[in-house]
Amino acid sequence: MSEYKYIEESFKKVETILKKLKETSNSNAVLLIDKAGQLITSIGDISGFDLVSFATLSAADFGATSQLAELIGEKSFSSLYHQGEKNSLFISLVANRVILAVLFDSKTTLGLVKVRTKHASEELEKVLDELFEKLKVAPTKEVFDKSFIKEAEEELDKLFGP
């Protein structure tokens, strides 16, 4: 089977997992983002916000939080939660390769989102492991490149000012 077929087949599996996560967690949207801040795919209602900025800031958020984890002696934090008045965001790192972001409101609970996200993350990890095994790609050792973190921090400073 060609590499293209493996990638296409894996992408379909990923979309199925994301759709299932959205439905079973009763969330509004689910996004899969690479660690460089590029949106891979999304499921659900994503109208009304800038996806490029969202993906970049989600990756930067994870990068900054990784540094916080180091400061308190942790290797990293595997998930983040941001609660708003109307909408909330749960973000988790999957297989040290991609970021899974779940947007939800009061129709569901953080506990349900966390449980369903954990199951989806395990399924995604299997799909990604199989894909990279077939493509012979080694797993990423560093969570975030230091230059990426610096660039992300500079972008955040530009967006929100000093």
Side-chain angles (χ1 to χ4, degrees):
M1 188 181 281
S2 72
E3 288 182 2
Y4 176 76
K5 282 283 190 189
Y6 289 136
I7 293 169
E8 183 180 356
E9 200 175 275
S10 298
F11 189 76
K12 286 179 183 174
K13 289 179 183 175
V14 165
E15 284 194 323
T16 300
I17 293 167
L18 297 184
K19 285 177 186 171
K20 181 180 165 189
L21 172 59
K22 181 192 170 301
E23 290 171 10
T24 60
S25 67
N26 204 22
S27 59
N28 297 329
V30 178
L31 296 91
L32 194 64
I33 303 163
D34 73 12
K35 291 192 312 184
Q38 301 292 316
L39 179 67
I40 298 170
T41 189
S42 63
I43 303 292
D45 183 13
I46 52 169
S47 60
F49 64 94
D50 179 358
L51 285 176
V52 173
S53 295
F54 182 86
T56 302
L57 291 172
S58 294
D61 191 16
F62 238 104
T65 305
S66 292
Q67 289 190 342
L68 283 173
E70 286 180 22
L71 289 175
I72 63 167
E74 289 291 325
K75 201 172 182 180
S76 67
F77 293 128
S78 61
S79 63
L80 306 171
Y81 169 62
H82 299 284
Q83 181 179 5
E85 284 183 34
K86 295 179 184 173
N87 297 298
S88 298
L89 173 64
F90 183 75
I91 307 172
S92 64
L93 188 63
V94 178
N96 202 25
R97 293 182 186 272
V98 294
I99 296 166
L100 182 59
V102 180
L103 298 165
F104 61 99
D105 58 21
S106 60
K107 292 182 301 191
T108 190
T109 63
L110 173 61
L112 181 61
V113 169
K114 287 175 79 173
V115 168
R116 299 297 186 192
T117 300
K118 183 179 180 209
H119 292 293
S121 295
E122 291 168 357
E123 292 179 59
L124 286 170
E125 189 168 346
K126 287 179 188 171
V127 171
L128 294 173
D129 285 347
E130 287 173 11
L131 173 65
F132 291 118
E133 174 62 29
K134 289 175 183 172
L135 298 177
K136 304 291 182 206
V137 177
T140 307
K141 291 184 180 176
E142 289 291 322
V143 175
F144 293 97
D145 179 67
K146 298 285 183 198
S147 65
F148 169 75
I149 292 170
K150 184 179 179 191
E151 288 177 30
E153 288 173 345
E154 289 171 0
E155 288 299 316
L156 287 170
D157 287 343
K158 285 179 194 172
L159 279 172
F160 299 110

